[in-house]
Structure formats: structure tokens, C-alpha cells
Amino acid sequence: MSPSSQESSVTVEPDLPTTMRAVARRVYGGPEVVAIEQVPRPDPGPGEVLVKVAAAGLDRATLHLLTGLPYAARAAFGLRRPRQPVLGQQVAGQVVAVGEGVSGYAAGDRVFGTAAGSLAEFAVAEVATVATIPESVSDVEASTIGVSGLTALGAVVTQGRVQKGERVLVLGGSGAVGSFAVQLAARHGAEVTAACSGAKTEFVAGLGAHRTVDYRTTSLAQMGDPFDLIIDIGGNRSVGRLRSALRPEGRLVIVGGEGGGPMLGGIQRTPSPTASPDVSWAGSSPAPLRRGAPNSPRRFRRAPSCRPSIASSHWPRRVVP
């Protein structure tokens, strides 16, 4: 990512500002380290586009980027301080500049996907991680797909290989990834049981879950007969316990986990290369794109008001500048 001084290899809309507002933190910590700053606007490098952000989706990974936890993840984030001070990954907006070698996109195109530092007025994205927004889809809806939607797609369809008529359990059915997972499994004709908090059962049922259970009062053994597929998004249950709820030929897909301690988090559950083929991992890192949640969007200028709710996990999943 180059400074905002424009080079001949970059096609840029005229009159773009050289600085921008961004939601940033310079050190790891809680919501108190977040501030809206005026920072230099980036220019796209080779194979990149500059997006004027219309909406930026929040997901659980944003909280990990904020806190720098688990510590093992700092090998990618930055050991002592964040390499990328601006928060955010999921994005939707309009292309305003294209870098060298970019074809298929031009200024004015509406795109969605992932861009490092998407909680800003502008963000740079690699061409491989964005796609054109269909006319029927709003910017706010599109901004939740880049990480959350694609992670759910990988978990349910690619890794989970869901089939019509199968019994599917989604652990964490009300979150950013879980809400997509429930819809995808139901759309493929599966019988879906979703675990969530009691306050969100009506919402999750509206996504297509045939049965909802309160994870706080219902044990894994009480969630139903053995399942063909379990998508584990919320919690940190052992692989052994999860397998006990599967049919003999069932599949387990681990998307993530919380509560595993500050050093590893849920990473220790990642299947090894020698793990049984019925266990797989669907990570939430940005993925290449090929050409839901009901919470109200928060305006960019109100970003500081989101801080306490981000930390408590009851935060909205979308932010609109």
C-alpha cells in the first residue's frame, strides 16, 4: 500500500481527498484504545483497487484484531503493536481508483469483499478478494458477506458437504457466521437445529432453523439425536465431545472458538494433517471471491458509541460511514 501521492500507474478519480477518517487503535487493548483519526488516504498498488467505503461489516475477528488475542495470532497481526492501525475487514462500496494491472474493474463499480482497514472512508482491496455487488443487494447487506458469509459457505457447503434431508447442528447460530450458516443449511434442504441464547431464538428460527435451543440451559446431549453435520462456531467444546453427537459417518467443521485462554484461544482445536477426515477447519480469514444479521447499522460518526457493545459481544455487525 503506497502513500496517497498518485503515480501514473494508478487510475484515480479526480478530487479525492488526501486524508480520511478512520476507526483506529495504535496499541492492543479494549474499546478504550479505539479512536476516530484523520489519516493519509491509501493508494492502490498493483492488482489492487481503492474503494470508497459505503458500509463495513463487523465480525468476531475485528475484536481479536482489537485486543491482539489470542497471543499466538500476533505473529500475523504484529507482535508488539498492530501492523495495520485501522480496524475492519469486510467492506462494500464504490471503486474510485485502480492499481497497475487491474482489469475488470473501473471507477464507479460497486464491489464487496474484504479490505484491510475497512472501518474508514477509503480502503484498499486486492482484486481477488472483491466482487461486483448485484443490483438487488444493498451496500449494508453486501458488507456482511466478505468474511462472515464466505466463512459460513466454506463451513456448510465446501467442508461440511451438506445434503438435503441431513440433520445439521449449528452451534452459535445467531452470530455473524452462524446466521449465514443456518440459512445456507436450510436452503440446501437440511433439518437445522441451532444453538443460541434464549433472547435470540425467534431471530434464528426466522432464518430457517427447524429447532432452536438455548445453549445456556441445554447440554450437547440434549440438543437432539446424532447429527450428520455439526458446525461449531460458538464455544470451545472438545473434539471428542462434539464427535459424540455425530452419527458414525457424520462430519464436524470447526469454525472458531472462544474461551480457550489468552495464548491459543480456540486454535488448539485446529485439526492436524493426520486428523480423521470427519473433522475439518473452516477459518475466517479473507478468501478469494468469484464474480444477515438484523441489527441496525451504526453511522461512522457514532463509532465511539459502539465500543462497549463490541467488547461485550452484543455489538451490531455493520457500520455505515
Coordinates of all heavy atoms in Angstrom, one line a residue, residues 28 89 91 117 135 140 170 180 195 221 223 234 243:
Y28 N -2.7 -2.6 21.3 CA -3.7 -3.6 21.6 C -4.4 -3.3 22.9 O -3.8 -2.7 23.8 CB -3.1 -5.0 21.7 CG -2.5 -5.5 20.4 CD1 -1.2 -5.9 20.3 CD2 -3.3 -5.7 19.3 CE1 -0.6 -6.4 19.1 CE2 -2.8 -6.2 18.1 CZ -1.5 -6.5 18.0 OH -0.9 -7.0 16.8
Q89 N -12.4 -5.5 8.2 CA -12.0 -6.4 7.1 C -13.1 -6.4 6.0 O -12.8 -6.3 4.9 CB -11.8 -7.8 7.6 CG -10.7 -8.0 8.6 CD -10.5 -9.5 8.9 OE1 -9.7 -10.2 8.3 NE2 -11.3 -10.0 9.9
V91 N -16.1 -5.2 3.6 CA -16.3 -3.9 3.0 C -17.3 -4.0 1.9 O -17.5 -5.1 1.2 CB -15.0 -3.3 2.5 CG1 -14.5 -4.1 1.2 CG2 -15.1 -1.9 2.1
G117 N -8.4 -2.7 7.0 CA -8.7 -1.4 7.4 C -10.0 -0.8 6.8 O -10.0 0.4 6.4
E135 N -27.3 -5.8 -8.3 CA -28.2 -4.6 -8.2 C -29.2 -4.7 -7.1 O -29.6 -3.7 -6.5 CB -28.9 -4.3 -9.5 CG -27.9 -3.8 -10.6 CD -28.6 -3.4 -11.9 OE1 -29.9 -3.3 -11.8 OE2 -28.0 -3.1 -12.9
V140 N -25.2 -2.3 2.7 CA -25.2 -2.8 4.0 C -25.2 -4.3 4.0 O -24.5 -5.0 4.7 CB -26.3 -2.2 4.8 CG1 -26.5 -3.0 6.2 CG2 -26.1 -0.7 5.1
V170 N -26.0 -26.3 14.2 CA -25.1 -25.1 14.2 C -25.0 -24.6 15.6 O -26.0 -24.1 16.2 CB -25.7 -24.0 13.3 CG1 -24.9 -22.8 13.3 CG2 -25.9 -24.5 11.9
F180 N -25.5 -16.9 8.8 CA -25.4 -17.3 7.4 C -25.4 -18.8 7.3 O -26.0 -19.4 6.4 CB -24.1 -16.8 6.8 CG -24.1 -15.4 6.3 CD1 -23.4 -14.4 6.9 CD2 -24.9 -15.0 5.2 CE1 -23.4 -13.1 6.5 CE2 -24.9 -13.7 4.7 CZ -24.2 -12.8 5.4
A195 N -28.1 -23.6 18.0 CA -28.0 -23.2 19.4 C -27.6 -21.8 19.5 O -26.7 -21.3 18.8 CB -26.9 -24.1 20.1
A221 N -25.8 -33.1 24.6 CA -26.5 -34.4 24.5 C -28.0 -34.2 24.4 O -28.8 -35.0 23.9 CB -26.2 -35.3 25.7
M223 N -29.5 -31.7 22.7 CA -29.8 -30.9 21.5 C -30.4 -31.7 20.4 O -30.9 -31.2 19.4 CB -28.6 -30.2 21.0 CG -28.1 -29.1 22.0 SD -26.7 -28.1 21.3 CE -26.4 -27.0 22.7
G234 N -19.6 -21.3 18.0 CA -19.6 -20.7 19.3 C -19.2 -21.7 20.4 O -19.7 -22.8 20.5
R243 N -17.8 -35.0 18.6 CA -17.9 -36.3 17.9 C -19.0 -37.2 18.5 O -19.6 -37.9 17.8 CB -16.6 -37.0 17.8 CG -15.7 -36.6 16.7 CD -14.4 -37.4 16.8 NE -13.6 -37.2 15.6 CZ -12.3 -37.5 15.5 NH1 -11.7 -38.0 16.6 NH2 -11.6 -37.4 14.4

